[in-house]
Amino acid sequence: MKSITINRLLFWFLSLGFIANSCAVKLAPDYDVKIYDELISINGQSQKYYSEAENGLAFETYDTHKDFYNSIIGSIESLIMQLDTRPFPDSKVLNSINKRLEKEGKPIMDFQNELPSKSAMTTILKSWKKMKSDHSKGSITKGQISADKLAFDLSLKQAIQFESHLKRD
Amino acid sequence: MPIEVNSLIKEITTAANNVIQDIGQIATNDLKQMSGFSQDQLTGLAGLSIIVGEGLASGEIPAEDKDFQLNRIKEIAKNFVRTLIGLTLVTIEKIWNAIVGAIWNLFKNVLNLIV
């Protein structure tokens, strides 16, 4: 059995070990089950509305829906605030990515403020505010409901896909 | 202090095989998820464009809604790209940390061989 003197090998392994120990990265926030659960809840409430409103909504039904609009808008605004205030990793890697993009003349990504779940919920919030406003002034057509539902589904799936992916296991 | 080369080689080979398997698993699972998600989003965006187009043409969607509807489609498409970037970052993080974790464990195991 061949022997190797320890000095060089040990030096190499010590360096590698110290580097490895400090090199783990974090590029996205931690998974938060409360945020995930809130997304599921918002989805449930919204799907109920779309099911009821499938064939459009008469102007006269605004009063019966007013509380729902206020409630869903409030829930989404509250969730966006949660998304805004959760800890975000201070990553040198993300900063380097942006420096590289800037160097190549490409638009940089504000990772913290443009998190997929936040962008998606902001789009949904605008839709609900418009729906409330439109309904308060007149009826909502079947076409508007169809478009709104599909837009909602697409955006919510983006948020859920990203948030569940944060569960790294 | 001598070190047994054969044991060292065995440690490194085992660690390397484990890392390759882990990375393969992470990449396969994550890619499958992303592929399904992308397909769903692209189909949905196409469907939304059709609903909006036909709705505006027939009057089922009021003409004054046109800007709002088209801007929303653009936003959803941009958010789709943001989501893909976000998913990719998490996958890269998992793979990187799997490699670094394997090196660190290898380092600790080799230290056991030495001391």
Side-chain angles (χ1 to χ4, degrees):
Chain A
M1 224 168 291
K2 202 176 162 186
S3 298
I4 299 175
T5 54
I6 198 69
N7 293 339
R8 212 163 148 189
L9 198 58
L10 186 56
F11 172 76
W12 187 72
F13 272 106
L14 277 173
S15 312
L16 201 60
F18 286 127
I19 291 166
N21 193 30
S22 55
C23 261
V25 295
K26 202 170 196 120
L27 302 179
D30 285 334
Y31 173 70
D32 188 337
V33 69
K34 288 194 220 118
I35 288 174
Y36 183 81
D37 286 348
E38 187 55 30
L39 286 169
I40 300 299
S41 168
I42 287 168
N43 186 39
Q45 294 168 59
S46 305
Q47 296 303 338
K48 208 171 152 200
Y49 169 93
Y50 288 125
S51 174
E52 190 199 313
E54 211 177 11
N55 294 314
L57 291 169
F59 169 56
E60 294 74 32
T61 63
Y62 174 68
D63 279 340
T64 55
H65 288 90
K66 200 166 59 172
D67 287 347
F68 168 77
Y69 290 134
N70 290 337
S71 166
I72 198 84
I73 288 169
S75 297
I76 295 169
E77 281 175 338
S78 164
L79 177 60
I80 289 175
M81 198 179 301
Q82 267 185 272
L83 292 169
D84 254 343
T85 55
R86 74 173 164 192
F88 191 84
D90 178 25
S91 173
K92 290 180 189 150
V93 174
L94 295 178
N95 292 336
S96 326
I97 292 174
N98 271 334
K99 279 195 183 133
R100 181 66 188 262
L101 289 170
E102 222 172 0
K103 206 174 162 186
E104 294 181 12
K106 298 205 167 88
I108 61 170
M109 184 130 168
D110 184 355
F111 294 103
Q112 184 162 3
N113 291 315
E114 288 181 21
L115 271 187
S117 30
K118 185 185 166 185
S119 317
M121 295 319 290
T122 304
T123 301
I124 289 176
L125 180 65
K126 283 187 206 169
S127 297
W128 278 120
K129 283 184 170 174
K130 182 166 190 310
M131 186 65 83
K132 178 187 171 187
S133 170
D134 288 350
H135 199 183
S136 71
K137 297 172 196 156
S139 55
I140 305 291
T141 65
K142 188 175 167 182
Q144 282 175 298
I145 293 290
S146 298
D148 216 70
K149 182 186 185 312
L150 186 46
F152 174 87
D153 287 348
L154 285 168
S155 296
L156 195 80
K157 279 180 194 175
Q158 289 166 357
I160 286 179
Q161 183 74 28
F162 179 70
E163 288 297 326
S164 59
H165 203 59
L166 294 178
K167 204 174 180 189
R168 303 123 156 125
D169 45 24
Chain B
M1 209 182 303
I3 184 171
E4 290 189 357
V5 174
N6 288 344
S7 301
L8 180 59
I9 291 171
K10 195 174 167 201
E11 285 290 342
I12 292 171
T13 313
T14 307
N17 284 335
N18 289 342
V19 156
I20 290 165
Q21 269 184 346
D22 285 348
I23 292 174
Q25 200 59 52
I26 293 168
T28 307
N29 291 344
D30 285 14
L31 276 174
K32 264 192 202 153
Q33 267 190 36
M34 277 171 68
S35 162
F37 167 72
S38 297
Q39 193 58 49
D40 186 62
Q41 288 280 308
L42 291 168
T43 307
L45 277 162
L48 182 57
S49 305
I50 291 171
I51 287 174
V52 167
E54 288 180 353
L56 287 167
S58 66
E60 184 61 37
I61 293 178
E64 53 266 27
D65 263 16
K66 183 179 170 193
D67 285 347
F68 172 79
Q69 295 286 349
L70 296 183
N71 286 335
R72 182 166 62 181
I73 292 173
K74 279 188 215 163
E75 259 184 51
I76 293 173
K78 269 193 206 165
N79 292 343
F80 166 47
V81 173
R82 286 190 181 111
T83 309
L84 284 181
I85 293 172
L87 295 175
T88 306
L89 279 177
V90 176
T91 300
I92 289 171
E93 182 200 286
K94 281 190 216 173
I95 290 175
W96 176 260
N97 289 340
I99 294 170
V100 159
I103 293 173
W104 178 242
N105 285 334
L106 172 63
F107 168 71
K108 287 190 289 188
N109 291 342
V110 165
L111 263 193
N112 286 337
L113 288 177
I114 295 169
V115 299

